C-alpha cells in the first residue's frame, strides 16, 4: 500500500492529511480536522493540479515580458514541459489582459492567457 | 508650479488605487494620485503569481490582474494620475513638493492627503551578515523585478534566507526558470510565509526549508561564491559547531519589510516603533488632521485584499473630512494597546462620535504561534468581547470586529490579548 | 605597444596617487597614472573614516605628524576648487575620569609645544551643549575645532578628474607588474597592458607598494591592518555633531563616531592585522567590537539604523605596525624611483602635504634622472572642477531646481528614491571620461543605491541606465569590475539547454 502525507490548503491551518491507497484506489484518509480535508487530499493524491503563472517574451512592447497564466489548473507533472514550451514563445505587443497566448498548452486542453495589458512601444 | 488639490494620494499601488477610488465614490472629485513608477499597480505588477483576490473579489487572480481591475476603474472615473512623479517633501501644512521629468518641480497645496507609499525590503545590513561584499546578494523583491519585469536571471545557484512569502514565491519562480535553488533558510522555528506558499513553492519543487538556521557568512571577492549556514538555538544564538558551507552564486534575502515613512517623518507625523507606520485612529487618520495612511506604509500586510479594504476606510474617511468641511467631533477617545502575546494593534486610537461605524475592525499580530486560543478585548475593568481562533501565527495578520456599543462610555482604553489554551 | 614616453609614471589611483597627479598636472609634463581596479579610490581610499584630523595626534618629528599639520589648512582651498563636500565640524576626544582629564591636558600641552593648533580642554557642561546625547559619564573632552569630515572617495575621484582635465592620462584596469630600470636609472613600467616608458616612477600603490618596490630591489613589507565600520541611516545623522573619539590606546585612536558629509552617521573602526590584502570581510566579532565601542560613547545608538557594514585596510609597514611612519623618499638606486608607502592613518589628512613633498622630491632629482625634466608651470592649468547640480543640495530651495530641470528634463526623474538622485545626475557622471560602467563607481559619485534600501528599488533601473549610456547589455554591467556582473542571463534563454527538475510533492514518511 502507498502512503503519502498531504498538507491541506483549504484553510490556513494546514492539516497534515495522510492518504493510504493501492494505486488509485484510496483506502484511508486520516489527519484532517474538517471534511474539506478529505476532498482536498483526494484530489491532491489522484490528480494534483496547479495554475502555472509565468512570463512570455514580448516583441515591441513597453516592457520585455508579459505575465501569463494557465487559464485553469493543469496537471503538476506537465508544468516542466509547459515552461519549456513557453520559453520558445514570443508575442507581439499590444497585448490585452486575457488574450490567449498559447492554445491548449502541452495538450492539457488549457489555454495560456495574458494577465496584464501591454502597450506597443510607441 | 503651484496648484491646489482637495485630495492628493501619494502612491499608485494597491493602497493608493483603492483609497482614491473610494474617495471618489464618496463624492470627492478633485483627486490627484501621484505614482513614482511609470505604471500603476506598484509591486503587484511584478507579483505575477496567482493567489490574490480570494477575499476581495472571491476569485483567484494574479498580481497584475488584481491591479488592472482597479486601474481600469480609475480610468473610467477619470481620476487624475501623474506617473513617473516622485513626492520629495511633505510638510505639516500639507504642502507637497513633487518632481517629474514632465513637469519639473511642482508645489501642491493639499486639503487632504492619503499616504500610500508602501514598504521596502530589509537588506543584508539590517540583519548584519558578516563576510565579503560581492555582487549576487540582493533582496528577493529586487530579484523578482529583474526576472518578471526586466527579463534577467540574477543567478543560477541560489540560497534564500528568510521564509517570508516573497522568498517562497521567488524560490518557485527561480526553479521554474531553470535556476538551482539550494534551499530556504529560516532563523525562526516556523515559516513566516503562508502555508499555501510553503507547499506550492517549495514542496512542489523539492526545495528544502530549513528552520532555525541562518546565514553566518558570505564568501566571494567579486561574486558570491558560497555562504556559511549555521543552526541557531531557541534564543537565536548561533551554534558554531553546526556550521556548514554551501556553494552558490546568489543569496536572496526575504527578511522582512519596512514601511516607507520618510515623507511621514518629514511632515512630523508620529510613528509607531513596532509597525514602523503612522499612529492612526479607526479612520486611518494620522495625528495631522486630514492626513491619512493605509496599506503597507501603515503596517505590513500579508494579503493585498486586506490592503484594499484598509485603503477604502482611509478613502472614505478622507471624503468625510473634505465634504463635512470640519474637523471631526470627538466624543470619546481611546488608546488601543497590545496586551499579552500581541505584537501590535492597528488602529492605535479610537475617536468615537455619533457617526462612527457601529463595528470597528482591529488588526493585530500575535507574538508566537498558538492553536485553539482566544482573543480577548478588554478595557481596564473588564472583558468586552472574546473571539476563539483555531490557529494564530505571527506571519498572518489577525483581526476581530468589535461592536462599538460594547465599549464602556467612561473608558479610555482598549487592550487586545491572546489567551492560549490551558488558562 | 605604447611607444609614447612620459615624464612621470604614477602607480596607484588612491587619494595619494591622485593628489600627486593633480599637483604635478600644473607643470608642463607628460604624466600617466595607473590603477589596477576599474575605478580610482578602489582600495584604502574608499573605506576609511573620512576624517581630516587637526594634527595633534602624531609627533612633529614624524612625517605623518608634520604632513598632517601642514595639510589640514590646505583643505579649504582644495574642496573649494574641486567641489568636494567637506565640513570643519571639530573633534572631541572624550574622557570619563579625572585621570583622563589629566591625560588630555598633557596631550594638549604636548601638541601646543609642537605646533600652533587650536586645542581646548572642555568640561562637562560645554561638552553636553555640544553633544547632548553623549553618554552621561563623559565629563571632559579635548576639543579641536579644525578637525573636519570629507568624503574620501569623492576627494580621490575629483583629484583624478581634475588631473585628467589638466592632461594626466589615467589608465584604469592597468596593473603594474614590474618597474623597469637600466644601469640604476628608471626607464618605465611593465603592465598587463604593455610597457610604458618614463624616467620617474612614483610608487603610491597602497597595500601593494611593497610588491612594486621589490621590483627595484627595495625590500619592505606592507602589512594590512583592518578596520570595520557601520554606516547608519541619515535619520540618525544629527545624533552626533562632532567627530567623537574615545581616549586613545597605544595602538589606535579608537572606535570613533562621526557624522559623514552626506549626513549619515559612521561608527568604527576597530583595528587588527590581517594576512590577506584582499580581506575585506566584515566579521561578527568585529561588528560586536565596534558596536560596544559606540554604545559606550552613545548609549542611544540605534541598532536598527545600520544601512551598511564594511571594512577597509590600512597599509602599514612593520616592525611596529601600530606606530610606524610614512615612507616617502626618492631612492638613490635606481634614480627616478620615489616611494610613497606605508600611508596609513592620517594618510587622508596628509594627502595634500604628501603631494607637495613629492613635488619637492621630483624637483630635487629632475636633472639627475635618465631623461631630465624641467618643472615649468603651464598657463592652461585649471585647478577647478565644475560643480554639477545635485538635488540633495536644493533641500531648502526646491524651486531653484526647476531651472536645472528646464535645462534637461532628466533632472526631473528620480532614480534613487532613498537618496533622491535624478537620472540627470547619473548621466552627467557617466558621461565623464573616468567613470566606469559599474554600480559601485556610480554609487560613490552620486550616492545612487547607497541609501537605506541599498539598491533594492533602483538597482535594476541604474543597471539599465548604465547599459544605455555605455551601449552595453545589462548583462555586462558589474558591481565593481569584471567578475562582479549583477545579472547572469536572460530569462528564458537557459530553458533550451537545461533540464527542469520538477519533483512531485515529497512523501514525508
Amino acid at each position: 500500500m502507498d502512503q503519502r502525507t498531504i498538507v491541506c490548503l483549504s484553510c490556513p491551518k494546514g492539516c497534515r492529511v495522510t492518504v493510504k491507497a493501492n494505486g488509485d484506489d484510496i483506502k484511508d484518509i486520516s489527519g484532517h480536522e474538517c471534511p474539506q480535508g478529505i476532498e482536498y487530499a483526494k484530489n491532491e493524491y489522484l490528480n494534483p493540479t496547479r495554475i502555472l503563472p509565468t512570463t512570455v517574451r514580448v516583441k515591441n512592447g513597453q516592457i520585455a515580458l508579459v505575465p501569463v497564466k494557465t487559464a485553469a489548473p493543469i496537471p503538476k507533472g506537465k508544468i516542466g514541459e509547459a515552461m519549456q514550451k513557453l520559453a520558445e514563445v514570443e508575442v507581439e505587443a499590444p497585448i490585452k489582459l486575457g488574450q490567449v497566448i498559447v492554445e491548449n498548452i502541452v495538450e492539457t486542453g488549457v489555454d495560456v492567457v495574458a494577465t496584464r495589458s501591454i502597450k506597443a512601444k510607441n | 508650479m503651484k496648484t491646489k488639490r482637495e485630495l492628493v494620494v501619494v502612491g499608485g499601488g494597491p493602497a493608493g488605487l483603492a483609497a482614491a477610488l473610494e474617495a471618489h465614490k464618496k463624492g470627492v472629485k478633485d483627486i490627484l494620485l501621484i505614482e513614482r513608477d511609470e505604471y500603476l499597480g506598484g509591486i503587484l505588477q511584478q507579483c505575477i503569481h496567482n493567489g490574490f483576490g480570494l477575499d476581495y473579489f472571491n476569485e483567484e487572480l494574479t498580481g497584475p490582474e488584481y491591479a488592472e481591475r482597479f486601474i481600469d476603474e480609475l480610468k473610467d472615473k477619470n481620476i487624475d494620475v501623474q506617473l513617473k512623479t516622485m513626492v520629495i517633501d511633505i510638510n505639516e501644512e500639507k504642502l507637497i513638493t513633487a518632481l517629474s521629468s514632465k513637469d519639473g518641480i511642482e508645489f501642491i497645496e493639499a486639503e487632504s492627503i492619503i499616504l500610500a507609499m508602501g514598504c521596502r525590503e530589509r537588506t543584508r545590513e539590517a540583519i548584519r551578515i558578516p563576510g565579503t561584499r560581492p555582487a549576487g546578494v540582493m533582496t528577493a523583491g529586487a530579484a523578482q523585478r529583474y526576472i518578471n519585469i526586466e527579463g534577467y536571471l540574477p543567478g543560477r545557484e541560489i540560497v534564500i534566507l528568510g521564509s517570508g512569502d516573497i522568498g517562497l514565491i521567488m524560490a518557485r519562480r527561480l526553479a521554474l526558470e531553470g535556476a538551482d535553488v539550494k534551499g530556504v533558510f529560516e532563523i525562526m522555528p516556523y515559516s513566516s510565509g503562508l502555508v499555501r506558499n510553503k507547499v506550492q513553492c517549495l514542496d512542489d519543487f523539492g526545495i528544502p526549508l530549513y528552520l532555525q538556521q541562518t546565514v553566518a557568512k558570505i564568501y566571494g571577492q567579486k561574486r558570491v561564491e558560497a555562504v556559511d549556514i549555521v543552526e541557531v538555538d531557541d534564543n537565536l544564538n548561533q551554534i558554531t559547531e553546526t556550521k556548514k558551507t554551501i556553494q552558490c552564486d546568489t543569496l536572496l534575502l526575504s527578511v522582512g519589510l519596512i514601511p516607507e515613512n520618510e515623507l511621514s517623518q518629514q511632515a512630523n507625523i508620529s510613528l509607531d516603533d513596532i509597525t514602523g507606520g503612522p499612529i492612526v485612529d479607526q479612520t486611518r487618520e494620522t495625528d495631522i488632521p486630514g492626513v491619512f495612511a493605509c496599506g503597507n506604509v501603515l503596517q505590513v500586510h500579508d494579503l493585498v485584499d486586506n490592503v484594499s479594504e484598509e485603503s477604502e476606510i482611509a478613502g472614505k474617511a478622507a471624503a468625510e473630512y473634505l465634504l463635512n468641511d470640519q474637523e471631526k467631533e470627538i466624543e470619546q477617545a481611546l488608546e488601543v494597546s497590545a496586551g499579552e502575546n500581541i505584537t501590535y494593534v492597528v488602529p492605535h486610537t479610537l475617536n468615537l462620535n455619533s457617526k462612527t461605524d457601529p463595528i470597528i475592525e482591529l488588526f493585530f499580530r500575535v507574538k508566537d504561534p498558538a492553536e485553539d486560543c482566544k482573543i480577548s478585548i478588554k478595557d481596564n475593568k473588564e472583558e468586552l468581547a472574546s473571539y476563539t481562533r483555531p490557529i494564530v501565527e505571527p506571519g498572518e495578520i489577525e483581526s476581530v470586529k468589535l461592536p462599538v456599543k460594547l465599549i464602556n462610555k467612561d473608558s479610555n482604553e482598549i487592550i487586545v490579548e491572546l489567551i492560549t489554551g490551558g488558562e | 605597444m605604447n611607444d609614447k614616453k612620459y615624464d612621470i609614471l604614477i602607480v596607484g589611483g588612491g587619494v595619494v596617487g591622485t593628489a600627486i597627479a593633480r599637483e604635478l598636472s600644473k607643470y608642463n609634463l607628460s604624466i600617466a597614472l595607473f590603477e589596477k581596479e576599474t575605478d580610482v579610490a578602489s582600495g584604502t581610499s574608499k573605506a576609511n573614516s573620512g576624517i581630516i584630523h587637526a594634527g595633534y595626534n602624531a609627533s612633529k618629528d614624524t612625517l605623518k605628524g608634520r604632513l598632517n599639520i601642514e595639510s589640514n589648512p590646505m583643505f579649504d582651498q582644495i574642496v573649494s576648487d574641486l567641489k568636494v563636500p567637506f565640513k570643519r565640524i571639530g573633534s572631541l576626544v572624550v574622557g570619563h575620569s579625572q585621570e583622563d582629564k589629566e591625560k588630555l591636558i598633557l596631550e594638549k600641552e604636548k601638541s601646543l609645544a609642537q605646533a600652533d593648533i587650536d586645542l581646548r580642554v572642555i568640561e562637562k557642561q560645554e561638552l553636553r551643549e555640544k553633544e547632548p546625547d553623549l553618554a552621561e559619564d563623559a565629563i571632559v573632552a579635548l576639543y579641536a575645532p579644525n578637525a573636519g569630515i570629507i568624503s574620501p572617495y569623492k576627494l580621490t575621484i575629483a583629484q583624478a578628474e581634475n588631473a585628467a582635465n589638466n592632461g594626466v592620462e589615467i589608465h584604469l584596469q592597468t596593473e603594474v607588474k614590474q618597474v623597469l630600470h637600466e644601469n640604476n636609472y628608471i626607464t618605465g613600467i611593465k603592465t598587463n597592458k604593455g610597457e610604458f616608458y618614463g624616467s620617474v616612477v612614483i610608487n603610491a600603490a597602497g597595500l601593494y607598494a611593497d610588491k612594486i618596490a621589490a621590483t627595484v630591489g627595495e625590500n619592505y613589507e606592507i602589512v594590512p591592518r583592518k578596520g570595520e565600520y557601520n554606516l547608519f541611516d541619515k535619520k540618525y545623522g544629527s545624533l552626533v555633531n562632532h567627530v567623537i573619539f574615545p581616549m586613545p590606546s597605544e595602538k589606535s585612536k579608537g572606535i570613533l563616531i562621526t557624522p559623514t558629509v552626506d549626513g549619515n552617521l559612521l561608527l568604527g573602526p576597530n583595528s587588527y592585522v590581517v594576512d590577506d590584502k584582499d580581506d575585506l570581510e566584515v566579521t561578527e566579532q568585529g561588528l560586536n567590537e565596534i558596536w560596544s565601542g559606540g554604545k559606550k560613547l552613545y548609549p542611544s545608538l540605534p541598532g536598527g539604523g545600520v544601512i551598511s557594514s564594511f571594512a577597509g585596510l590600512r597599509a602599514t609597514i612593520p616592525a611596529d605596525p601600530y606606530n610606524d611612519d610614512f615612507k616617502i623618499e626618492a631612492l638613490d638606486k635606481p634614480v627616478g624611483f620615489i616611494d610613497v608607502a606605508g600611508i596609513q592613518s592620517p594618510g587622508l589628512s596628509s594627502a595634500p602635504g604628501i603631494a607637495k613633498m613629492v613635488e619637492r622630491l621630483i624637483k630635487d632629482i629632475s636633472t639627475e634622472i635618465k631623461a631630465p625634466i624641467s618643472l615649468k608651470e603651464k598657463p592652461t592649468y585649471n585647478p577647478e572642477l565644475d560643480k554639477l547640480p545635485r538635488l540633495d543640495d536644493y533641500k531648502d530651495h526646491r524651486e531653484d531646481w526647476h531651472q536645472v530641470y528646464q535645462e534637461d528634463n532628466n533632472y526631473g526623474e528620480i532614480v534613487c528614491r532613498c537618496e533622491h538622485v535624478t537620472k540627470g545626475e547619473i548621466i552627467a557622471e557617466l558621461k565623464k571620461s573616468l567613470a566606469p560602467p559599474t554600480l559601485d563607481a556610480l554609487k560613490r559619485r552620486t550616492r545612487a543605491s547607497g541609501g537605506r534600501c541599498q539598491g533594492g528599488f533602483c538597482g535594476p533601473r541604474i543597471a539599465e541606465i548604465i547599459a544605455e549610456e555605455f551601449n552595453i547589455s545589462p548583462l555586462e554591467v558589474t558591481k565593481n569590475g569584471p567578475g562582479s556582473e549583477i545579472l547572469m542571463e536572460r530569462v528564458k534563454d537557459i530553458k533550451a539547454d537545461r533540464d527542469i527538475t520538477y519533483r512531485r510533492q515529497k512523501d514525508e514518511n
Side-chain angles (χ1 to χ4, degrees):
Chain A
M1 187 139 35
D2 294 335
Q3 176 171 323
R4 222 147 57 81
T5 303
I6 286 163
V7 179
C8 174
L9 299 182
S10 303
C11 82
K13 192 153 189 174
C15 292
R16 292 173 173 274
V17 184
T18 304
V19 180
K20 288 179 182 163
N22 271 332
D24 282 355
D25 184 13
I26 294 179
K27 298 289 185 196
D28 182 52
I29 295 182
S30 60
H32 53 287
E33 291 190 17
C34 81
Q36 289 188 70
I38 302 178
E39 199 57 24
Y40 184 90
K42 205 193 277 177
N43 287 337
E44 186 68 13
Y45 187 84
L46 294 175
N47 181 28
T49 60
R50 298 283 187 268
I51 286 176
L52 171 63
T54 180
T55 54
V56 161
R57 276 188 270 224
V58 175
K59 204 174 180 174
N60 195 34
Q62 278 192 329
I63 53 175
L65 301 165
V66 58
V68 299
K69 68 175 183 185
T70 54
I74 61 170
K76 250 168 79 169
K78 288 264 192 179
I79 284 180
E81 210 185 318
M83 282 301 295
Q84 206 79 39
K85 173 77 192 157
L86 289 171
E88 294 152 17
V89 175
E90 189 172 32
V91 272
E92 178 107 26
I95 299 162
K96 282 299 289 176
L97 188 148
Q99 181 180 325
V100 174
I101 303 295
V102 178
E103 282 180 15
N104 186 18
I105 182 84
V106 294
E107 307 300 320
T108 54
V110 175
D111 294 342
V112 171
V113 296
T115 59
R116 179 178 180 178
S117 303
I118 296 195
K119 289 181 189 155
K121 208 185 277 177
N122 309 323
Chain B
M1 245 168 90
K2 198 159 190 169
T3 52
K4 286 188 180 187
R5 288 282 187 170
E6 284 184 4
L7 172 61
V8 175
V9 179
V10 185
L17 289 168
L21 275 170
E22 188 64 22
H24 187 272
K25 274 182 206 159
K26 291 284 183 284
V28 184
K29 295 294 169 255
D30 181 21
I31 303 175
L32 173 65
L33 187 151
I34 299 178
E35 165 57 41
R36 52 194 168 193
D37 219 325
E38 52 196 310
Y39 45 76
L40 290 172
I43 217 74
L44 282 174
Q45 298 290 16
Q46 67 183 62
C47 298
I48 63 162
H49 54 282
N50 50 307
F52 301 92
L54 286 164
D55 289 352
Y56 193 85
F57 290 114
N58 276 318
E59 60 181 303
E60 189 170 12
L61 303 172
T62 66
E65 287 175 314
Y66 189 98
E68 205 153 318
R69 293 200 176 186
F70 285 90
I71 296 167
D72 285 348
E73 207 182 332
L74 207 77
K75 278 183 193 147
D76 280 353
K77 301 269 173 8
N78 284 318
I79 294 174
D80 290 346
V81 172
Q82 258 179 252
L83 295 175
K84 288 179 80 173
T85 303
M86 174 104 181
V87 172
I88 50 179
D89 300 306
I90 297 179
N91 72 13
E92 282 167 84
E93 277 72 51
K94 288 178 272 193
L95 176 71
I96 293 172
T97 311
L99 178 62
S100 70
S101 54
K102 191 166 152 282
D103 299 307
I105 290 276
E106 283 177 281
F107 297 100
I108 306 159
E109 283 175 16
E111 275 181 63
S112 171
I113 298 173
I114 296 178
L115 303 171
M117 290 88 76
C119 60
R120 65 168 178 272
E121 297 175 278
R122 291 176 82 203
T123 64
R124 167 187 181 176
E125 312 302 344
I127 51 171
R128 296 204 194 188
I129 307 173
T132 54
R133 306 172 56 74
V137 182
M138 67 175 78
T139 58
Q144 191 178 41
R145 184 172 174 116
Y146 276 125
I147 296 173
N148 292 344
I149 306 266
E150 320 275 340
Y152 292 96
L153 268 193
R156 296 188 185 95
E157 298 184 352
I158 322 279
V159 165
I160 299 177
L161 177 62
S163 65
D165 287 311
I166 316 173
L168 302 179
I169 295 284
M170 286 315 294
R172 170 174 63 182
R173 192 72 195 102
L174 283 155
L176 278 173
E177 292 295 349
D180 178 9
V181 182
K182 308 258 180 168
V184 175
F185 297 86
E186 169 63 57
I187 195 167
M188 300 304 286
Y190 47 84
S191 162
S192 54
L194 301 171
V195 182
R196 178 180 65 203
N197 286 332
K198 199 241 160 207
V199 171
Q200 296 194 348
C201 299
L202 301 188
D203 300 354
D204 273 7
F205 294 84
I207 298 167
L209 170 65
Y210 301 97
L211 298 176
Q212 292 194 286
Q213 298 195 19
T214 191
V215 173
K217 191 172 170 183
I218 297 170
Y219 296 92
Q221 285 298 332
K222 290 287 186 179
R223 177 84 197 184
V224 174
E225 289 165 14
V227 294
D228 274 348
I229 298 290
V230 66
E231 291 177 22
V232 299
D233 64 21
D234 291 341
N235 299 318
L236 304 184
N237 294 317
Q238 298 185 0
I239 307 168
T240 321
E241 313 87 82
T242 63
K243 194 161 75 186
K244 60 183 180 209
T245 305
I246 297 186
Q247 309 293 317
C248 59
D249 57 35
T250 304
L251 173 64
L252 287 195
L253 302 172
S254 170
V255 291
L257 301 168
I258 305 168
E260 284 256 82
N261 276 292
E262 280 63 40
L263 290 173
S264 320
Q265 280 174 314
Q266 277 178 13
N268 275 329
I269 289 168
S270 305
L271 301 183
D272 175 349
D273 285 343
I274 310 275
T275 59
I279 288 173
V280 295
D281 71 7
Q282 79 279 6
T283 71
R284 306 302 187 266
E285 189 169 24
T286 67
D287 59 0
I288 297 186
V291 179
F292 302 81
C294 55
N296 283 351
V297 81
L298 178 59
Q299 56 171 330
V300 175
H301 294 70
D302 331 309
L303 294 176
V304 70
D305 306 66
N306 297 343
V307 168
S308 301
E309 283 162 20
E310 179 174 84
S311 305
E312 286 171 356
I313 296 173
K316 181 178 165 221
E320 279 165 9
Y321 174 86
L322 289 165
L323 301 173
N324 294 342
D325 203 26
Q326 60 185 4
E327 297 204 353
K328 198 160 34 184
E329 203 179 299
I330 300 168
E331 288 161 15
Q332 185 183 3
L334 300 101
E335 295 271 330
V336 184
S337 57
E340 283 294 292
N341 297 319
I342 302 289
T343 314
Y344 72 80
V345 189
V346 169
H348 307 79
T349 61
L350 302 181
N351 291 320
L352 306 179
N353 63 26
S354 56
K355 287 180 194 153
T356 304
D357 288 339
I359 290 178
I360 290 174
E361 195 165 6
L362 303 175
F363 295 85
F364 53 91
R365 277 184 198 272
V366 300
K367 283 193 175 140
D368 294 300
E371 291 193 12
D372 301 320
C373 49
K374 194 178 91 169
I375 308 298
S376 169
I377 310 296
K378 312 191 306 187
D379 61 16
N380 55 359
K381 288 192 205 124
E382 57 176 343
E383 183 172 86
L384 307 175
S386 77
Y387 307 78
T388 57
R389 289 287 182 276
I391 186 163
V392 291
E393 291 191 43
E396 299 188 18
I397 291 187
E398 281 293 330
S399 75
V400 297
K401 288 180 174 154
L402 177 68
V404 172
K405 62 177 185 216
L406 297 181
I407 299 172
N408 291 317
K409 288 288 167 222
D410 58 347
S411 169
N412 60 7
E413 70 171 334
I414 295 277
I415 304 156
V416 180
E417 273 186 16
L418 171 69
I419 298 167
T420 48
E423 280 180 57
Chain C
M1 169 182 128
N2 194 330
D3 288 337
K4 189 171 167 189
K5 292 216 173 192
Y6 298 85
D7 296 313
I8 295 180
L9 304 169
I10 302 169
V11 188
V15 71
V16 172
T18 57
I20 295 167
R22 175 173 183 253
E23 192 65 46
L24 297 178
S25 71
K26 68 186 176 206
Y27 295 114
N28 214 343
L29 298 170
S30 68
I31 305 168
L33 180 146
F34 302 87
E35 168 56 50
K36 70 180 168 66
E37 300 296 331
T38 43
D39 194 8
V40 295
S42 285
T44 303
S45 303
K46 76 161 188 256
N48 58 69
S49 307
I51 288 165
I52 303 307
H53 295 281
Y56 58 84
N57 318 67
S59 157
K60 205 182 170 186
D61 300 334
T62 62
L63 268 179
K64 57 186 191 179
R66 185 161 62 76
L67 290 170
N68 188 167
I69 292 167
E70 181 186 326
S71 298
N72 180 293
M74 294 161 73
F75 276 93
D76 301 284
Q77 186 64 45
I78 291 170
V79 301
S80 142
D81 285 345
L82 297 181
K83 318 296 185 287
V84 175
F86 169 67
K87 287 180 195 156
R88 284 195 191 276
I89 58 172
S91 65
L92 294 164
V93 182
V94 173
H96 298 86
S97 63
Q98 193 57 37
E99 193 193 336
D100 287 348
K101 183 176 170 179
E102 281 156 20
K103 278 189 198 156
L104 290 175
I105 291 171
L106 206 66
E107 173 82 37
K108 176 189 147 189
E109 280 164 2
K110 203 176 79 187
S111 299
L112 291 184
Q114 305 194 53
D116 184 20
I117 302 171
D118 191 357
L119 274 180
R120 285 192 288 134
V121 171
I122 62 172
E123 304 278 347
K124 185 161 184 174
Q125 195 189 343
E126 193 179 352
L127 183 55
R128 298 225 73 76
E129 280 164 18
K130 289 194 184 308
E131 293 291 344
D133 294 310
L134 197 64
E136 282 292 327
D137 60 354
I139 54 163
V140 62
L142 181 61
Y143 175 44
N146 283 331
I149 51 174
I150 198 164
S151 164
Y153 44 86
K154 279 188 185 159
L155 173 65
T156 306
I157 291 164
Q159 287 177 162
E161 282 174 1
N162 186 233
N165 291 349
N166 287 307
V168 175
E169 281 180 23
I170 306 229
H171 297 261
L172 297 172
Q173 283 182 277
T174 309
E175 182 173 0
V176 176
K177 303 279 190 188
Q178 199 189 335
V179 178
L180 305 174
H181 52 107
E182 280 171 27
N183 308 322
N184 284 331
Y185 287 97
I186 289 291
T187 58
I189 54 171
K190 195 174 160 188
T191 75
N192 60 331
K193 296 193 176 163
E195 293 182 357
F196 295 81
Y197 304 110
S199 302
V200 177
V201 167
I202 298 165
N203 177 18
L207 289 163
Y208 296 91
D210 51 354
K211 299 268 183 300
I212 301 294
T215 69
V216 296
E218 184 75 354
N219 288 313
Y220 57 89
E221 191 194 1
I222 299 282
V223 171
R225 185 153 51 88
K226 196 198 275 189
E228 289 158 281
Y229 292 91
N230 272 164
L231 188 71
F232 290 76
D233 193 317
K234 280 184 174 175
K235 248 184 258 181
Y236 307 106
S238 56
L239 185 68
V240 177
N241 304 319
H242 302 77
V243 184
I244 311 291
F245 295 98
M247 293 297 292
S249 72
E250 282 296 302
K251 64 173 187 174
S252 81
K253 299 184 194 81
I255 293 158
L256 61 93
I257 307 182
T258 178
T260 70
V261 274
D262 295 313
N264 301 82
L265 195 64
L266 185 70
L267 169 67
N270 53 357
S271 173
Y272 58 97
V273 169
V274 293
D275 301 333
D276 183 354
K277 290 177 179 176
D278 291 321
D279 178 0
L280 291 173
E281 269 182 30
V282 176
T283 64
E284 172 96 38
Q285 199 183 0
L287 292 181
N288 290 341
E289 186 183 347
I290 59 171
W291 185 245
S292 64
K295 276 287 194 190
K296 253 180 241 161
L297 291 169
Y298 278 86
S300 59
L301 214 55
V306 177
I307 60 167
S308 171
S309 309
F310 61 91
L313 298 173
R314 302 89 143 176
T316 69
I317 302 176
D320 179 0
Y322 296 115
N323 210 12
D324 58 324
D325 200 1
F326 299 157
K327 180 180 190 311
I328 305 172
E329 59 184 342
L331 299 191
D332 294 337
K333 283 186 198 182
V335 175
F337 188 88
I338 298 176
D339 236 340
V340 189
I343 311 297
Q344 56 150 311
S345 180
L348 175 65
S349 310
S350 307
I354 293 173
K356 291 276 182 203
M357 181 172 169
V358 170
E359 179 190 0
R360 290 192 294 272
L361 290 174
I362 289 174
K363 272 186 184 152
D364 291 347
I365 61 169
S366 59
T367 54
E368 296 161 24
I369 54 178
K370 184 141 192 253
I373 52 175
S374 66
L375 277 62
K376 268 198 242 104
E377 290 192 16
K378 60 187 174 201
T380 54
Y381 172 70
N382 177 2
E384 292 189 41
L385 279 182
D386 292 336
K387 185 164 173 60
L388 292 176
R390 300 253 186 256
L391 177 56
D392 210 31
D393 295 340
Y394 287 68
K395 266 190 193 133
D396 304 321
H397 47 111
R398 297 288 200 201
E399 60 280 5
D400 295 340
W401 187 256
H402 201 69
Q403 285 163 10
V404 179
Y405 155 80
Q406 279 171 327
E407 303 263 307
D408 177 353
N409 69 359
N410 280 323
Y411 286 95
E413 182 180 339
I414 289 193
V415 176
C416 169
R417 304 167 179 184
C418 303
E419 295 293 321
H420 285 179
V421 183
T422 61
K423 187 176 179 184
E425 291 161 71
I426 289 173
I427 291 177
E429 288 294 344
L430 291 177
K431 285 207 185 303
K432 288 182 181 171
S433 59
L434 273 184
T438 72
L439 293 179
D440 278 359
L442 198 60
K443 174 160 81 179
R444 289 199 280 273
R445 285 161 172 79
T446 65
R447 299 193 49 75
S449 83
R452 52 186 77 91
C453 93
Q454 292 283 301
F457 287 122
C458 60
R461 184 80 187 99
I462 293 173
E464 193 183 305
I465 295 171
I466 292 177
E468 270 169 29
E469 278 303 308
F470 281 83
N471 205 12
I472 57 177
S473 156
L475 293 170
E476 295 171 78
V477 175
T478 64
K479 181 173 188 288
N480 54 18
S484 66
E485 284 73 16
I486 309 292
L487 303 167
M488 289 265 174
E489 48 209 324
R490 279 182 196 277
V491 162
K492 310 292 170 195
D493 283 3
I494 63 167
K495 299 297 291 187
D497 55 69
R498 191 169 303 183
D499 177 36
I500 306 303
T501 47
Y502 188 77
R503 277 167 269 186
R504 282 169 70 91
Q505 184 176 338
K506 274 192 200 158
D507 191 344
E508 294 187 26
N509 292 329

